[in-house]
Amino acid sequence: MTDTDIKKGLAGVVADTTAISKVNPETNSLLYRGYPVQELASTQSFEAVAYLLWNGDLPDETQLAQLRATERAYRHLPAEVRAAIDLVPLDAHPMDEVRTALSLIGAKDLAGTGSVLDVSGSTEENLARSVRLFAVLPAIVAYGQRRRRGQQPVEPRDDLDYAANFLWMTFGEESDAVVVDAFNRSMILYAEHSFNASTFTARVIASTLSDLYSAVVGAVGALKGPLHGGANEAVLHIFDEIGSAENVGPWLDEALAQKRKIMGFGHRVYKRGDSRVPTMKAALDTLVEHYDRPDVAALYDTLESEFVGRKGIYPNLDYPSGPAYNLIGFDTLTFTPLFVAARVTGWTAHIMEQLGSNALIRPLSAYNGPDERHIDGYVPDAAAL
Ligand code: SDX
């Protein structure tokens, strides 16, 4: 095998087919089961898009009503899951709370399912599991932020749809319609993106016929990294470092001299801009107006034009979503857990697709260690015997 055969990071490698989404850098577009994500984000609820990702079509009224009823039934944070989150140190990263909570939920649901040979579950079992994770993650994320702030948890409200209830549980007050709409759009934009690192992680785990929960917990670990899901949190740290638009130039001079990665920019697949950014930027603009924060817009626009002008590297979805979540009031540490709450729909759709394909994912490697050698004449360390 020659070096040219090796595709580091699997860059440019088509590893399998998927019917769930199509990322097309040539046309700078993203389709969820054939629908442009821009259309879905501006016309659908996140519940309807979750249904689409799992089932392949948008729900009719009855199907959506059924999904909403099931989602409401599982919105509450079970006491034992809350107790597990409380065991996580307050200064741990919230993604460790999410991982802990999901691991316990999975262990309890799978308890008594017999041998390891039947944990992968049937499609209907995994659909039910997917809906339950979709429903309970807002409670996990909201509880985590309120716990860190020393606030009591807020119980879900059945009279509010998914996005409005998520905000209600997090902030303990009803959000304005413009905020709910911007948040709903962000969840749809974050929901799915073909074989990104966390989704492919989930598929690798599902390909061994392991269970859906183990695959989701593995994906959470992958998403935590700042080169992937952790970038939206990192964007806010950059905004905090820069402070205001006037400081962008000097800050960028120093950052680039230090060869720093500017979080929220660049993408492995999109090389001329992330197709989701215009829709999320429009949502950010509504929030800038709603909260009267032209300073945020100035910093955002200045950094974008400076960096794109110097390096020709364009923003990805994390760049507009970071300031948007900050304006809504989410703590910066809560941003990546928000990404989990959205992407759990795409992850679980891919897990079910992978389980249906029955193909173990196991690539090759090119060995570059020592040549073959033998232990004859080797004197072992007498103490080791
Ligand atoms: C997400 O895959 C998905 O679909 C992911 C995602 C999803 O929805 O699931 O879209 C979500 O993860 C978005 C990406 C969030 N991450 C960041 O914002 C972190 C900063 N971005 C970079 O780390 C980088 O752009 C990557 C990791 C996202 C993509 O990198 P690639 O395609 O592997 O390209 P590369 O790192 O090899 O960069 C090529 C060149 C390098 O310069 P040279 O070494 O050749 O001189 O471009 C430079 C890089 O240094 N570069 C950057 C940069 N991104 C690329 N330089 C500074 N800042 C950046 N952000």
Side-chain angles (χ1 to χ4, degrees):
M1 180 178 297
T2 65
D3 277 359
T4 50
D5 299 332
I6 298 168
K7 304 289 183 221
K8 261 202 177 318
L10 299 183
V13 169
V14 178
D16 202 341
T17 59
T18 180
I20 301 168
S21 70
K22 180 178 183 179
V23 179
N24 189 335
E26 283 69 45
T27 57
N28 205 338
S29 64
L30 170 58
L31 306 179
Y32 289 177
R33 301 280 191 184
Y35 291 102
V37 73
Q38 295 80 357
E39 286 179 32
L40 294 169
S42 51
T43 63
Q44 301 299 312
S45 66
F46 182 40
E47 298 93 311
V49 172
Y51 185 98
L52 169 69
L53 292 171
W54 290 322
N55 298 285
D57 283 309
L58 283 168
D60 61 28
E61 272 185 42
T62 307
Q63 292 161 334
L64 185 55
Q66 282 168 346
L67 174 57
R68 284 190 156 134
T70 309
E71 185 262 325
R72 279 166 169 75
Y74 287 105
R75 280 177 171 176
H76 295 264
L77 187 61
E80 67 277 13
V81 176
R82 180 177 161 181
I85 294 173
D86 287 343
L87 293 175
V88 178
L90 270 176
D91 59 354
H93 192 283
M95 288 289 271
D96 299 341
E97 288 170 4
V98 173
R99 182 158 47 92
T100 302
L102 296 180
S103 294
L104 177 62
I105 289 169
K108 286 177 67 69
D109 183 48
L110 293 172
T113 50
S115 86
V116 70
L117 292 180
D118 61 5
V119 291
S120 56
S122 64
T123 300
E124 48 275 2
E125 282 172 327
N126 284 320
L127 261 175
R129 290 167 180 167
S130 304
V131 174
R132 287 189 55 192
L133 293 182
F134 166 71
V136 76
L137 268 161
I140 293 170
V141 176
Y143 180 69
Q145 171 154 315
R146 295 185 68 85
R147 180 172 88 103
R148 277 187 300 283
R149 291 185 175 190
Q151 298 169 329
Q152 285 305 306
V154 171
E155 287 305 307
R157 279 178 42 183
D158 283 351
D159 61 324
L160 299 175
D161 282 343
Y162 177 96
N165 178 63
F166 200 149
L167 296 167
W168 161 257
M169 288 195 291
T170 306
F171 302 111
E173 60 189 29
E174 277 193 52
S175 296
D176 292 332
V178 68
V179 176
V180 175
D181 178 62
F183 183 61
N184 180 68
R185 289 172 185 245
S186 78
M187 299 303 272
I188 291 170
L189 293 169
Y190 266 120
E192 158 62 13
H193 211 240
S194 84
F195 284 9
N196 58 85
S198 55
T199 297
F200 195 67
T201 300
R203 289 192 74 122
V204 169
I205 295 169
S207 80
T208 70
L209 296 188
S210 183
D211 64 278
L212 176 138
Y213 296 108
S214 297
V216 167
V217 168
V220 169
L223 192 73
K224 182 178 176 185
L227 292 190
H228 186 20
N232 56 12
E233 173 188 325
V235 169
L236 250 289
H237 295 317
I238 282 178
F239 274 39
D240 291 344
E241 271 185 50
I242 298 173
S244 64
E246 300 70 54
N247 300 335
V248 166
W251 181 87
L252 206 47
D253 291 342
E254 190 178 345
L256 294 181
Q258 295 166 351
K259 290 217 174 298
R260 282 176 65 176
K261 294 273 195 201
I262 313 305
M263 296 295 149
F265 287 86
H267 199 279
R268 172 60 60 80
V269 179
Y270 295 120
K271 292 306 182 188
R272 292 196 326 275
D274 184 326
S275 65
R276 301 162 294 182
V277 166
T279 307
M280 190 62 223
K281 177 61 170 59
L284 173 60
D285 291 344
T286 64
L287 295 170
V288 163
E289 189 181 342
H290 178 74
Y291 293 107
D292 190 23
R293 290 296 304 275
D295 57 308
V296 173
L299 175 50
Y300 179 100
D301 293 340
T302 308
L303 178 58
E304 177 185 1
S305 59
E306 279 276 341
F307 188 58
V308 172
R310 292 193 203 190
K311 298 281 282 186
I313 297 170
Y314 294 88
N316 57 56
L317 177 58
D318 295 311
Y319 188 57
S321 64
Y325 288 151
N326 176 260
L327 287 174
I328 293 175
F330 290 108
D331 293 344
T332 302
L333 280 173
T334 305
F335 292 3
T336 309
L338 288 173
F339 199 152
V340 175
R343 188 56 60 91
V344 72
T345 57
W347 288 338
T348 47
H350 279 275
I351 289 163
M352 288 187 274
E353 187 177 66
Q354 182 69 42
L355 285 171
S357 79
N358 248 337
L360 177 67
I361 297 174
R362 197 279 188 219
L364 295 176
S365 60
Y367 175 72
N368 65 358
D371 291 338
E372 184 173 347
R373 53 185 171 165
H374 299 281
I375 57 173
D376 50 337
Y378 169 71
V379 180
D381 170 355
L385 294 179

